[in-house]
């Protein structure tokens, strides 16, 4: 019912939470009736269940064109060792050519891990946000307040700009230092 109502809202994608990623009646509706991308979290999900999910969307090549899968650990908050960030590598290895994109859904404290997820190749980073992390409820403690969300976005943009290769051996910004510190020094 909710999926039928949601697709009435003009949007480019819908997000399926981990708790519903095996609700195949709903997934069939989204796969066959909804035209946008379908983003699905994989928390609380076995490797076999993830494979089944991707195969389900591979009907008519829908997975490669519309399915985005999120590495996720469902807990609030998730301790750093349980984030299992390197699962992104496994998802890329198994599904990078079979789905549209690989993403990360975080339920941890802080924002450093989100930058790491992006650096490992996550094309989307999802975080819950709240007005007050001290409110009751499991999500609030692991959510970001507006200032934290702003800092995460700032850091993701900075990381995006930094993930480049050198265009020349010595960059323009290095020339002054090179001339001052290297040029004219005798090679020993």
């Amino acid at each position: 019912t909710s999926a039928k109502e949601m697709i009435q809202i003009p949007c480019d994608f819908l997000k399926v939470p981990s708790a519903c990623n095996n609700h195949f009646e709903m997934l069939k509706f989204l796969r066959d009736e909804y035209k946008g991308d379908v983003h699905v979290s994989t928390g609380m999900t076995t490797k076999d269940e993830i494979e089944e999910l991707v195969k389900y969307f591979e009907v008519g090549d829908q997975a490669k064109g519309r399915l985005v899968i999120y590495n996720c650990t469902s807990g609030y908050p998730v301790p750093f060792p349980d984030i299992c960030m390197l699962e992104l590598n496994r998802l890329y290895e198994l599904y990078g050519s079979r789905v549209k994109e690989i993403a990360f859904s975080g339920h941890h404290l802080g924002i450093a891990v989100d930058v790491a997820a992006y650096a490992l190749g996550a094309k989307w980073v999802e975080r819950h946000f709240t007005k007050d992390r001290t409110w009751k409820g499991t999500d609030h403690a692991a959510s970001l307040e507006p200032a934290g969300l702003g800092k995460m976005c700032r850091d993701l943009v900075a990381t995006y700009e930094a993930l480049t290769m050198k265009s020349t051996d010595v960059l323009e910004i290095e020339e002054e230092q090179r001339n001052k510190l290297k040029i004219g020094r005798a090679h020993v």
Side-chain angles (χ1 to χ4, degrees):
T1 301
S2 295
K4 289 177 182 175
E5 290 176 9
M6 293 290 292
I7 70 165
Q8 301 306 312
I9 301 169
C11 57
D12 295 331
F13 68 92
L14 289 175
K15 174 79 175 11
V16 176
S18 298
C20 299
N21 69 15
N22 64 348
H23 187 312
F24 285 96
E25 181 181 349
M26 179 187 67
L27 293 172
K28 180 180 185 334
F29 178 78
L30 292 175
R31 182 192 69 190
D32 298 344
E33 303 296 327
Y34 177 61
K35 301 302 178 210
D37 292 346
V38 180
H39 292 224
V40 183
S41 278
T42 62
M44 307 176 289
T45 307
T46 68
K47 292 175 177 74
D48 289 341
E49 290 169 337
I50 295 170
E51 177 64 26
E52 182 181 9
L53 168 70
V54 172
K55 281 184 179 177
Y56 193 73
F57 273 84
E58 285 180 322
V59 173
D61 205 27
Q62 302 234 19
K64 190 168 184 164
R66 299 180 45 231
L67 183 63
V68 177
I69 56 174
Y70 285 70
N71 176 39
C72 177
T73 299
S74 297
Y76 303 94
V78 176
F80 293 116
D82 291 336
I83 294 171
C84 304
M85 184 67 66
L86 294 179
E87 284 294 311
L88 282 166
N89 294 340
R90 189 183 65 77
L91 292 175
Y92 263 106
E93 183 180 312
L94 293 173
Y95 304 112
S97 63
R98 294 174 60 192
V99 300
K100 183 172 184 176
E101 293 173 323
I102 306 294
F104 174 71
S105 175
H107 302 132
H108 53 280
L109 300 177
I111 59 175
V113 171
D114 305 292
V115 172
Y118 178 71
L120 285 172
K123 301 297 185 205
W124 294 80
V125 174
E126 178 206 30
R127 289 296 302 271
H128 296 213
F129 61 92
T130 184
K131 287 186 172 185
D132 187 340
R133 294 180 58 238
T134 65
W135 284 348
K136 279 186 172 182
T138 57
D139 279 11
H140 293 288
S143 297
L144 297 176
E145 292 174 336
L149 185 62
K151 288 176 183 176
M152 183 191 76
C153 292
R154 175 204 64 202
D155 290 353
L156 288 170
V157 168
T159 303
Y160 170 79
E161 292 174 352
L163 288 173
T164 62
M165 299 291 287
K166 279 191 163 188
S167 57
T168 63
D169 287 343
V170 178
L171 294 174
E172 183 178 332
I173 194 170
E174 297 177 302
E175 288 292 343
E176 181 180 344
Q177 298 305 315
R178 179 179 170 80
N179 290 336
K180 182 169 49 173
L181 301 173
K182 284 185 104 170
I183 304 297
R185 290 179 58 194
H187 292 286
V188 179

